[in-house]
Amino acid sequence: MSKTGHERFGEAWDFLFHPPIAHRGLWSPDGAPENSLGAFQAACQAGYGIELDVQLSADGEAMVFHDSSLKRMTGREGKLKDYTAADLGEIRLNGTDERIPTLMETLALIGHRAMVHVELKTPFGEVGALEQRVHEILIDHAGPTCVIGFNPYSHAWFAERFPGVLRGLDSWSWLDKDTPFLSPEQRKAFRKLEQVSIARPHFLAMSLETALSPEAQAYREKGMPLVAWTVRKPEQWEPLKDHCDNLIFEGFKA
């Protein structure tokens, strides 16, 4: 599987396994904020891979930002999708000089220095626009990349149109309180990774509490790499490291 993956995806496949991946960049509470150019620069300088989040602005640009609401990271009211890219580019992150970047300027900064895991924050029922914009940007980027995300239909969109894009399906415990948009039957199916048949991913990105599940480990035994997230303490990685192929981390130097 590893040899076949390298032949198909080149160095992007190799970077799935090392180095470790900095969650939203190498950020810290007293330093560069998450998903900022400063955090990505720090990750590059430290030699890590990078995970980041993208969603669409009001005018259809791929912006690097995690939450749907602006409040936690900027103090502003409203949702990111209600602002244009130009407006978002002027909003400061956590009172620093860092601003909300576009995916295009982020990849320009990173260049070939790090593997980038682009997490698509596509809501269920809205697949297409974000995927298309991200692909338009990725095809002009020379460095190694992959797309990840929880929405299996987002992955299916890529699988059907651009199968050469490396894809990693995110999954977790799918708790009722966190996924009210899914039916109980869907949550049960997703916990068992039945959505893999829809997504057709090349690897899995599993939460800490689900990385050792029988379903996840069965896929790994069949040759599908498994990345664990989000590791916030070295001791969390210890019981997983022999059963996973890499980690997405934050809060320490992996």
Side-chain angles (χ1 to χ4, degrees):
M1 179 72 175
S2 180
K3 181 179 178 182
T4 302
H6 177 83
E7 291 173 350
R8 184 173 181 184
F9 300 109
E11 63 181 358
W13 181 262
D14 298 332
F15 285 137
L16 277 181
F17 303 93
H18 62 83
I21 304 147
H23 187 233
R24 306 178 195 172
L26 196 62
W27 63 276
S28 65
D30 55 352
E34 66 178 57
N35 277 327
S36 69
L37 295 182
F40 302 140
Q41 175 70 3
C44 289
Q45 291 176 337
Y48 293 122
I50 293 169
E51 183 269 356
L52 54 79
D53 308 281
V54 293
Q55 52 185 301
L56 285 180
S57 64
D59 52 345
E61 189 54 86
M63 307 300 299
V64 180
F65 198 79
H66 177 269
D67 301 358
S68 60
S69 168
L70 293 171
K71 186 69 174 179
R72 179 177 67 90
M73 288 301 299
T74 73
R76 296 285 191 97
E77 298 297 332
K79 296 182 180 297
L80 181 138
K81 67 179 183 179
D82 296 328
Y83 290 75
T84 66
D87 289 339
L88 292 167
E90 295 299 319
I91 298 176
R92 295 188 177 192
L93 294 169
N94 281 353
T96 68
D97 289 334
E98 296 283 350
R99 290 171 169 78
I100 301 174
T102 65
L103 178 60
M104 186 179 295
E105 65 182 322
T106 297
L107 293 181
L109 171 78
I110 295 169
H112 203 277
R113 295 183 295 162
M115 166 77 161
V116 182
H117 292 238
V118 180
E119 181 174 333
L120 299 147
K121 307 300 288 185
T122 306
F124 280 70
E126 298 181 23
V127 171
L130 177 59
E131 287 74 12
Q132 181 64 45
R133 182 57 185 145
V134 167
H135 184 258
E136 291 168 355
I137 295 168
L138 292 185
I139 58 175
D140 287 330
H141 180 61
T145 61
C146 64
V147 296
I148 61 176
F150 293 88
N151 190 329
Y153 302 100
S154 176
H155 291 276
W157 187 96
F158 275 99
E160 293 165 4
R161 293 165 178 81
F162 305 107
V165 174
L166 181 60
R167 305 181 304 279
L169 179 66
D170 275 300
S171 193
W172 64 326
S173 54
W174 299 98
L175 299 174
D176 295 11
K177 67 181 181 64
D178 297 317
T179 55
F181 49 88
L182 295 179
S183 68
E185 292 75 18
Q186 285 176 308
R187 285 191 287 270
K188 182 178 180 180
F190 282 14
R191 279 193 287 270
K192 294 181 179 180
L193 292 179
E194 293 179 10
Q195 73 274 36
V196 168
S197 63
I198 299 170
R200 290 168 280 168
H202 304 111
F203 68 97
L204 295 175
M206 303 293 297
S207 65
L208 296 184
E209 70 272 17
T210 60
L212 297 181
S213 70
E215 293 83 4
Q217 289 299 308
Y219 275 110
R220 184 171 185 263
E221 289 171 7
K222 293 175 183 178
M224 186 176 289
L226 194 159
V227 178
W229 59 268
T230 299
V231 179
R232 294 182 170 89
K233 298 178 182 178
E235 53 265 34
Q236 291 179 317
W237 180 235
E238 281 301 314
L240 298 175
K241 64 182 183 180
D242 292 334
H243 307 282
C244 299
D245 298 288
N246 206 345
L247 69 155
I248 299 175
F249 73 95
E250 70 177 29
F252 70 103
K253 297 290 184 70

